[in-house]
Each structure stands twice: as C-alpha cells, then as structure tokens.
Amino acid sequence: EAQVTQNPRYLITVTGKKLTVTCSQNMNHEYMSWYRQDPGLGLRQIYYSMNVEVTDKGDVPEGYKVSRKEKRNFPLILESPSPNQTSLYFCASSNARYNEQFFGPGTRLTVL
Amino acid sequence: DAKTTQPPSMDCAEGRAANLPCNHSTISGNEYVYWYRQIHSQGPQYIIHGLKNNETNEMASLIITEDRKSSTLILPHATLRDTAVYYCIVRGTSGSRLTFGEGTQLTVNP
C-alpha cells in the first residue's frame, strides 16, 4: 500500500531533550516536506526537500533540522525542544514539486 | 500565492450534494486551485485540482468560474464519512508549499 509513515505518533518530552521524528514514504517520491499544525494558524511548512541531499527552509524552520540521505526517508530533528514546539506535525511527499501531496498520519508532540 | 476565502462552516444532509464555495479573486493565470480535506486531525487528503476547466474524479467535481475568481467543490452524494475540514488552496509555480487557511468545516448530518 502506498503510504507515508511517521514515528512516533505521540510523544511527550521535556525541554532540551533532543528528539527525532521519522518520516518514510514507499512511493519513490522526490519531494518531501514537514508541516506543523497549530490552532488558528493552519498548517505551516517547516522544511522541504526536492531530492536526496537537497533541503531548504519553509516558513517556520527555526529550532528544527532535517536531513535527506535516502530518497524514502526525511527525519525531522529537534536538537533542543522548547514548549513552543508543542504541535501536530505532518510529513508529506509528492512525485514532483507541484503535484498532489500525500500526508502521513501525524505526530502529536508535547514539550513540557 | 493568492489568498482564498471560505465559509467557516457548512451543513449537509446525508445523501445530498455538498457544494463548498471558495473565493480567490486575486488568482493569477498560472495558479491552480487545489482542494484537500482533513478528517479530525488526520493527515490532509488530496481531493482534486484544476486550472480553468471543470474537473471530476471519483471523489468530487471542481467547478471554476470563467473569470477564475471563485470555485466550488461538489461532493455529489455526501456521506457521514465526508465530515471534515475542507481546504481550498491556490498554488502557483513560485513556491513549494501548500498554504492552508482555516478551511470550511463540513458536517454531514444523518
């Protein structure tokens, strides 16, 4: 089944403890991105990648890192999480920059 | 990308057609209209997109006015599972992101 998977689905952590949210897609898509969703602010793009080893900032990249060493994986790294990064995170992929995006199920992160 | 305006909420009876409007009066010639929906904090799901012609797929129809300043998403026979937030997005070729607004909360009632 074609899908985008994210892990973990739920995470509660404390300020400053490094964490990684994994994202993987099995559709051989070149394009992947991360979004966060907050009440009243909609979905905002954090980072995106147009192919292996090619990443760029989205609208709200501060406090996040990403890497794209393999085509299928696009992990989101929070080196020192803070409470304002408490949010619902979505990974998405598509086979080209402007084609329909397939979204993962989401990761609900709480930073205490 | 052009800004879109949607009603915050709509109701529809099960089995009837749901018509969701979207205004995008500042749309430019190379910008597409996309529709996604999100069911209760799940990942958004692509529905349909179009440039200027009307489009139809297995999920919905998209009607774009001739001046392209507005569009309507039609779910021909709404079911309870269609209850979701529907997002109308105008997307050009200058950016890589989907800019989601607040969308329309569609509630399908039995």
Side-chain angles (χ1 to χ4, degrees), chain A residues 39-68:
Chain A
L41 297 175
L43 277 90
R44 296 176 292 167
Q45 190 183 57
I46 303 170
Y47 268 95
Y48 65 95
S49 168
M50 296 183 69
N51 215 323
V52 175
E53 302 292 0
V54 181
T55 64
D56 208 346
K57 297 177 180 178
D59 295 318
V60 288
E62 295 76 23
Y64 304 94
K65 286 175 57 178
V66 292
S67 68
R68 188 90 181 273

PDB file of all heavy atoms in Angstrom, chain A residues 39-68:
ATOM      1  N   PRO A  39      -3.618  25.428  16.293  1.00  0.00           N
ATOM      2  CA  PRO A  39      -4.958  26.042  16.233  1.00  0.00           C
ATOM      3  C   PRO A  39      -4.889  27.508  15.815  1.00  0.00           C
ATOM      4  O   PRO A  39      -4.086  28.285  16.342  1.00  0.00           O
ATOM      5  CB  PRO A  39      -5.450  25.902  17.680  1.00  0.00           C
ATOM      6  CG  PRO A  39      -4.691  24.743  18.226  1.00  0.00           C
ATOM      7  CD  PRO A  39      -3.341  24.795  17.575  1.00  0.00           C
ATOM      8  N   GLY A  40      -5.710  27.865  14.848  1.00  0.00           N
ATOM      9  CA  GLY A  40      -5.763  29.250  14.394  1.00  0.00           C
ATOM     10  C   GLY A  40      -4.671  29.651  13.424  1.00  0.00           C
ATOM     11  O   GLY A  40      -4.715  30.745  12.858  1.00  0.00           O
ATOM     12  N   LEU A  41      -3.693  28.776  13.209  1.00  0.00           N
ATOM     13  CA  LEU A  41      -2.567  29.116  12.319  1.00  0.00           C
ATOM     14  C   LEU A  41      -2.500  28.212  11.103  1.00  0.00           C
ATOM     15  O   LEU A  41      -1.646  28.399  10.236  1.00  0.00           O
ATOM     16  CB  LEU A  41      -1.248  29.038  13.094  1.00  0.00           C
ATOM     17  CG  LEU A  41      -1.102  30.024  14.243  1.00  0.00           C
ATOM     18  CD1 LEU A  41       0.191  29.763  15.005  1.00  0.00           C
ATOM     19  CD2 LEU A  41      -1.100  31.465  13.721  1.00  0.00           C
ATOM     20  N   GLY A  42      -3.351  27.221  11.023  1.00  0.00           N
ATOM     21  CA  GLY A  42      -3.336  26.319   9.876  1.00  0.00           C
ATOM     22  C   GLY A  42      -2.074  25.476   9.844  1.00  0.00           C
ATOM     23  O   GLY A  42      -1.360  25.336  10.836  1.00  0.00           O
ATOM     24  N   LEU A  43      -1.781  24.913   8.682  1.00  0.00           N
ATOM     25  CA  LEU A  43      -0.544  24.156   8.500  1.00  0.00           C
ATOM     26  C   LEU A  43       0.527  25.082   7.958  1.00  0.00           C
ATOM     27  O   LEU A  43       0.295  25.812   6.990  1.00  0.00           O
ATOM     28  CB  LEU A  43      -0.740  23.004   7.509  1.00  0.00           C
ATOM     29  CG  LEU A  43      -1.328  21.723   8.064  1.00  0.00           C
ATOM     30  CD1 LEU A  43      -2.832  21.747   7.981  1.00  0.00           C
ATOM     31  CD2 LEU A  43      -0.776  20.530   7.309  1.00  0.00           C
ATOM     32  N   ARG A  44       1.691  25.020   8.546  1.00  0.00           N
ATOM     33  CA  ARG A  44       2.812  25.840   8.100  1.00  0.00           C
ATOM     34  C   ARG A  44       3.990  24.933   7.787  1.00  0.00           C
ATOM     35  O   ARG A  44       4.309  24.024   8.563  1.00  0.00           O
ATOM     36  CB  ARG A  44       3.185  26.865   9.180  1.00  0.00           C
ATOM     37  CG  ARG A  44       2.096  27.892   9.467  1.00  0.00           C
ATOM     38  CD  ARG A  44       2.499  28.803  10.610  1.00  0.00           C
ATOM     39  NE  ARG A  44       2.548  28.089  11.876  1.00  0.00           N
ATOM     40  CZ  ARG A  44       3.100  28.574  12.980  1.00  0.00           C
ATOM     41  NH1 ARG A  44       3.667  29.774  12.967  1.00  0.00           N
ATOM     42  NH2 ARG A  44       3.096  27.870  14.099  1.00  0.00           N
ATOM     43  N   GLN A  45       4.644  25.222   6.674  1.00  0.00           N
ATOM     44  CA  GLN A  45       5.745  24.371   6.245  1.00  0.00           C
ATOM     45  C   GLN A  45       7.003  24.687   7.049  1.00  0.00           C
ATOM     46  O   GLN A  45       7.384  25.858   7.212  1.00  0.00           O
ATOM     47  CB  GLN A  45       6.006  24.554   4.751  1.00  0.00           C
ATOM     48  CG  GLN A  45       6.965  23.520   4.187  1.00  0.00           C
ATOM     49  CD  GLN A  45       7.268  23.766   2.733  1.00  0.00           C
ATOM     50  OE1 GLN A  45       7.745  24.839   2.359  1.00  0.00           O
ATOM     51  NE2 GLN A  45       6.985  22.794   1.889  1.00  0.00           N
ATOM     52  N   ILE A  46       7.698  23.651   7.487  1.00  0.00           N
ATOM     53  CA  ILE A  46       8.918  23.810   8.279  1.00  0.00           C
ATOM     54  C   ILE A  46      10.149  23.715   7.375  1.00  0.00           C
ATOM     55  O   ILE A  46      10.975  24.625   7.323  1.00  0.00           O
ATOM     56  CB  ILE A  46       8.992  22.731   9.376  1.00  0.00           C
ATOM     57  CG1 ILE A  46       7.755  22.779  10.275  1.00  0.00           C
ATOM     58  CG2 ILE A  46      10.255  22.918  10.214  1.00  0.00           C
ATOM     59  CD1 ILE A  46       7.644  21.600  11.220  1.00  0.00           C
ATOM     60  N   TYR A  47      10.274  22.603   6.694  1.00  0.00           N
ATOM     61  CA  TYR A  47      11.371  22.354   5.765  1.00  0.00           C
ATOM     62  C   TYR A  47      10.833  21.512   4.614  1.00  0.00           C
ATOM     63  O   TYR A  47       9.814  20.825   4.747  1.00  0.00           O
ATOM     64  CB  TYR A  47      12.510  21.576   6.435  1.00  0.00           C
ATOM     65  CG  TYR A  47      13.603  22.401   7.045  1.00  0.00           C
ATOM     66  CD1 TYR A  47      13.570  22.732   8.389  1.00  0.00           C
ATOM     67  CD2 TYR A  47      14.679  22.836   6.274  1.00  0.00           C
ATOM     68  CE1 TYR A  47      14.579  23.498   8.957  1.00  0.00           C
ATOM     69  CE2 TYR A  47      15.698  23.593   6.846  1.00  0.00           C
ATOM     70  CZ  TYR A  47      15.642  23.921   8.184  1.00  0.00           C
ATOM     71  OH  TYR A  47      16.643  24.672   8.745  1.00  0.00           O
ATOM     72  N   TYR A  48      11.543  21.553   3.493  1.00  0.00           N
ATOM     73  CA  TYR A  48      11.211  20.676   2.401  1.00  0.00           C
ATOM     74  C   TYR A  48      12.482  20.188   1.719  1.00  0.00           C
ATOM     75  O   TYR A  48      13.571  20.753   1.908  1.00  0.00           O
ATOM     76  CB  TYR A  48      10.273  21.349   1.385  1.00  0.00           C
ATOM     77  CG  TYR A  48      10.851  22.518   0.639  1.00  0.00           C
ATOM     78  CD1 TYR A  48      11.421  22.365  -0.617  1.00  0.00           C
ATOM     79  CD2 TYR A  48      10.808  23.805   1.188  1.00  0.00           C
ATOM     80  CE1 TYR A  48      11.936  23.448  -1.300  1.00  0.00           C
ATOM     81  CE2 TYR A  48      11.317  24.888   0.501  1.00  0.00           C
ATOM     82  CZ  TYR A  48      11.877  24.713  -0.741  1.00  0.00           C
ATOM     83  OH  TYR A  48      12.399  25.790  -1.426  1.00  0.00           O
ATOM     84  N   SER A  49      12.308  19.123   0.939  1.00  0.00           N
ATOM     85  CA  SER A  49      13.444  18.550   0.226  1.00  0.00           C
ATOM     86  C   SER A  49      12.987  18.157  -1.169  1.00  0.00           C
ATOM     87  O   SER A  49      11.969  17.476  -1.325  1.00  0.00           O
ATOM     88  CB  SER A  49      13.957  17.310   0.968  1.00  0.00           C
ATOM     89  OG  SER A  49      14.865  16.585   0.155  1.00  0.00           O
ATOM     90  N   MET A  50      13.742  18.587  -2.152  1.00  0.00           N
ATOM     91  CA  MET A  50      13.365  18.279  -3.534  1.00  0.00           C
ATOM     92  C   MET A  50      14.036  17.014  -4.040  1.00  0.00           C
ATOM     93  O   MET A  50      13.676  16.517  -5.109  1.00  0.00           O
ATOM     94  CB  MET A  50      13.675  19.467  -4.428  1.00  0.00           C
ATOM     95  CG  MET A  50      12.852  20.682  -4.058  1.00  0.00           C
ATOM     96  SD  MET A  50      13.114  22.078  -5.145  1.00  0.00           S
ATOM     97  CE  MET A  50      12.369  21.462  -6.634  1.00  0.00           C
ATOM     98  N   ASN A  51      15.024  16.513  -3.306  1.00  0.00           N
ATOM     99  CA  ASN A  51      15.627  15.237  -3.657  1.00  0.00           C
ATOM    100  C   ASN A  51      16.709  14.926  -2.627  1.00  0.00           C
ATOM    101  O   ASN A  51      16.952  15.718  -1.702  1.00  0.00           O
ATOM    102  CB  ASN A  51      16.206  15.262  -5.073  1.00  0.00           C
ATOM    103  CG  ASN A  51      16.056  13.914  -5.783  1.00  0.00           C
ATOM    104  OD1 ASN A  51      16.193  12.863  -5.147  1.00  0.00           O
ATOM    105  ND2 ASN A  51      15.786  13.955  -7.068  1.00  0.00           N
ATOM    106  N   VAL A  52      17.372  13.805  -2.795  1.00  0.00           N
ATOM    107  CA  VAL A  52      18.412  13.404  -1.847  1.00  0.00           C
ATOM    108  C   VAL A  52      19.471  14.495  -1.744  1.00  0.00           C
ATOM    109  O   VAL A  52      19.899  15.050  -2.763  1.00  0.00           O
ATOM    110  CB  VAL A  52      19.039  12.071  -2.300  1.00  0.00           C
ATOM    111  CG1 VAL A  52      20.202  11.698  -1.391  1.00  0.00           C
ATOM    112  CG2 VAL A  52      17.998  10.967  -2.311  1.00  0.00           C
ATOM    113  N   GLU A  53      19.819  14.812  -0.510  1.00  0.00           N
ATOM    114  CA  GLU A  53      20.844  15.815  -0.190  1.00  0.00           C
ATOM    115  C   GLU A  53      20.451  17.230  -0.574  1.00  0.00           C
ATOM    116  O   GLU A  53      21.308  18.122  -0.548  1.00  0.00           O
ATOM    117  CB  GLU A  53      22.190  15.446  -0.851  1.00  0.00           C
ATOM    118  CG  GLU A  53      22.750  14.083  -0.454  1.00  0.00           C
ATOM    119  CD  GLU A  53      23.189  14.006   0.997  1.00  0.00           C
ATOM    120  OE1 GLU A  53      23.069  14.999   1.735  1.00  0.00           O
ATOM    121  OE2 GLU A  53      23.649  12.931   1.420  1.00  0.00           O
ATOM    122  N   VAL A  54      19.196  17.464  -0.915  1.00  0.00           N
ATOM    123  CA  VAL A  54      18.717  18.812  -1.244  1.00  0.00           C
ATOM    124  C   VAL A  54      17.586  19.179  -0.297  1.00  0.00           C
ATOM    125  O   VAL A  54      16.487  18.600  -0.366  1.00  0.00           O
ATOM    126  CB  VAL A  54      18.213  18.899  -2.702  1.00  0.00           C
ATOM    127  CG1 VAL A  54      17.749  20.331  -3.000  1.00  0.00           C
ATOM    128  CG2 VAL A  54      19.293  18.476  -3.683  1.00  0.00           C
ATOM    129  N   THR A  55      17.854  20.115   0.613  1.00  0.00           N
ATOM    130  CA  THR A  55      16.821  20.558   1.553  1.00  0.00           C
ATOM    131  C   THR A  55      16.793  22.077   1.586  1.00  0.00           C
ATOM    132  O   THR A  55      17.788  22.739   1.256  1.00  0.00           O
ATOM    133  CB  THR A  55      17.079  20.032   2.981  1.00  0.00           C
ATOM    134  OG1 THR A  55      18.297  20.586   3.484  1.00  0.00           O
ATOM    135  CG2 THR A  55      17.164  18.514   3.003  1.00  0.00           C
ATOM    136  N   ASP A  56      15.641  22.622   1.999  1.00  0.00           N
ATOM    137  CA  ASP A  56      15.530  24.078   2.083  1.00  0.00           C
ATOM    138  C   ASP A  56      14.492  24.445   3.126  1.00  0.00           C
ATOM    139  O   ASP A  56      13.624  23.630   3.486  1.00  0.00           O
ATOM    140  CB  ASP A  56      15.148  24.680   0.742  1.00  0.00           C
ATOM    141  CG  ASP A  56      15.665  26.100   0.586  1.00  0.00           C
ATOM    142  OD1 ASP A  56      16.086  26.704   1.611  1.00  0.00           O
ATOM    143  OD2 ASP A  56      15.651  26.621  -0.533  1.00  0.00           O
ATOM    144  N   LYS A  57      14.611  25.674   3.634  1.00  0.00           N
ATOM    145  CA  LYS A  57      13.729  26.143   4.690  1.00  0.00           C
ATOM    146  C   LYS A  57      12.338  26.462   4.149  1.00  0.00           C
ATOM    147  O   LYS A  57      12.187  26.967   3.043  1.00  0.00           O
ATOM    148  CB  LYS A  57      14.327  27.396   5.336  1.00  0.00           C
ATOM    149  CG  LYS A  57      15.649  27.159   6.021  1.00  0.00           C
ATOM    150  CD  LYS A  57      16.217  28.457   6.582  1.00  0.00           C
ATOM    151  CE  LYS A  57      17.551  28.215   7.262  1.00  0.00           C
ATOM    152  NZ  LYS A  57      18.143  29.470   7.782  1.00  0.00           N
ATOM    153  N   GLY A  58      11.350  26.187   4.995  1.00  0.00           N
ATOM    154  CA  GLY A  58       9.990  26.603   4.699  1.00  0.00           C
ATOM    155  C   GLY A  58       9.682  27.894   5.429  1.00  0.00           C
ATOM    156  O   GLY A  58      10.549  28.760   5.580  1.00  0.00           O
ATOM    157  N   ASP A  59       8.470  27.997   5.937  1.00  0.00           N
ATOM    158  CA  ASP A  59       8.045  29.238   6.595  1.00  0.00           C
ATOM    159  C   ASP A  59       8.519  29.357   8.035  1.00  0.00           C
ATOM    160  O   ASP A  59       8.759  30.453   8.534  1.00  0.00           O
ATOM    161  CB  ASP A  59       6.510  29.324   6.587  1.00  0.00           C
ATOM    162  CG  ASP A  59       5.962  29.435   5.183  1.00  0.00           C
ATOM    163  OD1 ASP A  59       6.545  30.191   4.382  1.00  0.00           O
ATOM    164  OD2 ASP A  59       4.955  28.773   4.889  1.00  0.00           O
ATOM    165  N   VAL A  60       8.657  28.227   8.740  1.00  0.00           N
ATOM    166  CA  VAL A  60       8.962  28.263  10.173  1.00  0.00           C
ATOM    167  C   VAL A  60      10.070  27.273  10.515  1.00  0.00           C
ATOM    168  O   VAL A  60       9.870  26.319  11.264  1.00  0.00           O
ATOM    169  CB  VAL A  60       7.694  27.990  11.020  1.00  0.00           C
ATOM    170  CG1 VAL A  60       6.750  29.178  10.969  1.00  0.00           C
ATOM    171  CG2 VAL A  60       6.983  26.719  10.551  1.00  0.00           C
ATOM    172  N   PRO A  61      11.299  27.481  10.015  1.00  0.00           N
ATOM    173  CA  PRO A  61      12.360  26.484  10.209  1.00  0.00           C
ATOM    174  C   PRO A  61      13.100  26.576  11.546  1.00  0.00           C
ATOM    175  O   PRO A  61      13.835  25.649  11.906  1.00  0.00           O
ATOM    176  CB  PRO A  61      13.316  26.809   9.063  1.00  0.00           C
ATOM    177  CG  PRO A  61      13.155  28.294   8.891  1.00  0.00           C
ATOM    178  CD  PRO A  61      11.693  28.575   9.153  1.00  0.00           C
ATOM    179  N   GLU A  62      12.913  27.684  12.285  1.00  0.00           N
ATOM    180  CA  GLU A  62      13.719  27.897  13.488  1.00  0.00           C
ATOM    181  C   GLU A  62      13.487  26.792  14.517  1.00  0.00           C
ATOM    182  O   GLU A  62      12.353  26.472  14.866  1.00  0.00           O
ATOM    183  CB  GLU A  62      13.403  29.261  14.116  1.00  0.00           C
ATOM    184  CG  GLU A  62      13.773  30.468  13.265  1.00  0.00           C
ATOM    185  CD  GLU A  62      12.816  30.712  12.117  1.00  0.00           C
ATOM    186  OE1 GLU A  62      11.653  30.250  12.197  1.00  0.00           O
ATOM    187  OE2 GLU A  62      13.226  31.348  11.135  1.00  0.00           O
ATOM    188  N   GLY A  63      14.578  26.230  15.000  1.00  0.00           N
ATOM    189  CA  GLY A  63      14.502  25.196  16.025  1.00  0.00           C
ATOM    190  C   GLY A  63      14.424  23.783  15.478  1.00  0.00           C
ATOM    191  O   GLY A  63      14.329  22.828  16.251  1.00  0.00           O
ATOM    192  N   TYR A  64      14.471  23.651  14.157  1.00  0.00           N
ATOM    193  CA  TYR A  64      14.357  22.341  13.520  1.00  0.00           C
ATOM    194  C   TYR A  64      15.538  22.098  12.587  1.00  0.00           C
ATOM    195  O   TYR A  64      16.127  23.028  12.066  1.00  0.00           O
ATOM    196  CB  TYR A  64      13.075  22.246  12.691  1.00  0.00           C
ATOM    197  CG  TYR A  64      11.806  22.518  13.452  1.00  0.00           C
ATOM    198  CD1 TYR A  64      11.255  23.806  13.466  1.00  0.00           C
ATOM    199  CD2 TYR A  64      11.160  21.510  14.164  1.00  0.00           C
ATOM    200  CE1 TYR A  64      10.096  24.069  14.174  1.00  0.00           C
ATOM    201  CE2 TYR A  64       9.985  21.769  14.864  1.00  0.00           C
ATOM    202  CZ  TYR A  64       9.459  23.055  14.861  1.00  0.00           C
ATOM    203  OH  TYR A  64       8.304  23.315  15.551  1.00  0.00           O
ATOM    204  N   LYS A  65      15.845  20.825  12.399  1.00  0.00           N
ATOM    205  CA  LYS A  65      16.801  20.400  11.387  1.00  0.00           C
ATOM    206  C   LYS A  65      16.205  19.230  10.635  1.00  0.00           C
ATOM    207  O   LYS A  65      15.355  18.500  11.167  1.00  0.00           O
ATOM    208  CB  LYS A  65      18.130  19.959  12.035  1.00  0.00           C
ATOM    209  CG  LYS A  65      18.987  21.083  12.553  1.00  0.00           C
ATOM    210  CD  LYS A  65      20.219  20.561  13.274  1.00  0.00           C
ATOM    211  CE  LYS A  65      21.070  19.662  12.425  1.00  0.00           C
ATOM    212  NZ  LYS A  65      22.296  19.213  13.139  1.00  0.00           N
ATOM    213  N   VAL A  66      16.673  19.034   9.408  1.00  0.00           N
ATOM    214  CA  VAL A  66      16.243  17.883   8.625  1.00  0.00           C
ATOM    215  C   VAL A  66      17.457  17.321   7.900  1.00  0.00           C
ATOM    216  O   VAL A  66      18.499  17.968   7.809  1.00  0.00           O
ATOM    217  CB  VAL A  66      15.167  18.244   7.577  1.00  0.00           C
ATOM    218  CG1 VAL A  66      13.857  18.631   8.248  1.00  0.00           C
ATOM    219  CG2 VAL A  66      15.662  19.357   6.650  1.00  0.00           C
ATOM    220  N   SER A  67      17.294  16.113   7.390  1.00  0.00           N
ATOM    221  CA  SER A  67      18.319  15.530   6.523  1.00  0.00           C
ATOM    222  C   SER A  67      17.619  14.653   5.493  1.00  0.00           C
ATOM    223  O   SER A  67      16.521  14.158   5.729  1.00  0.00           O
ATOM    224  CB  SER A  67      19.337  14.722   7.325  1.00  0.00           C
ATOM    225  OG  SER A  67      18.728  13.547   7.862  1.00  0.00           O
ATOM    226  N   ARG A  68      18.258  14.487   4.350  1.00  0.00           N
ATOM    227  CA  ARG A  68      17.695  13.620   3.299  1.00  0.00           C
ATOM    228  C   ARG A  68      18.849  12.812   2.698  1.00  0.00           C
ATOM    229  O   ARG A  68      19.372  13.115   1.645  1.00  0.00           O
ATOM    230  CB  ARG A  68      17.013  14.476   2.234  1.00  0.00           C
ATOM    231  CG  ARG A  68      16.227  13.645   1.212  1.00  0.00           C
ATOM    232  CD  ARG A  68      14.826  13.414   1.597  1.00  0.00           C
ATOM    233  NE  ARG A  68      14.088  12.608   0.663  1.00  0.00           N
ATOM    234  CZ  ARG A  68      13.454  13.093  -0.417  1.00  0.00           C
ATOM    235  NH1 ARG A  68      13.531  14.379  -0.708  1.00  0.00           N
ATOM    236  NH2 ARG A  68      12.776  12.285  -1.202  1.00  0.00           N
TER     237      ARG A  68
END
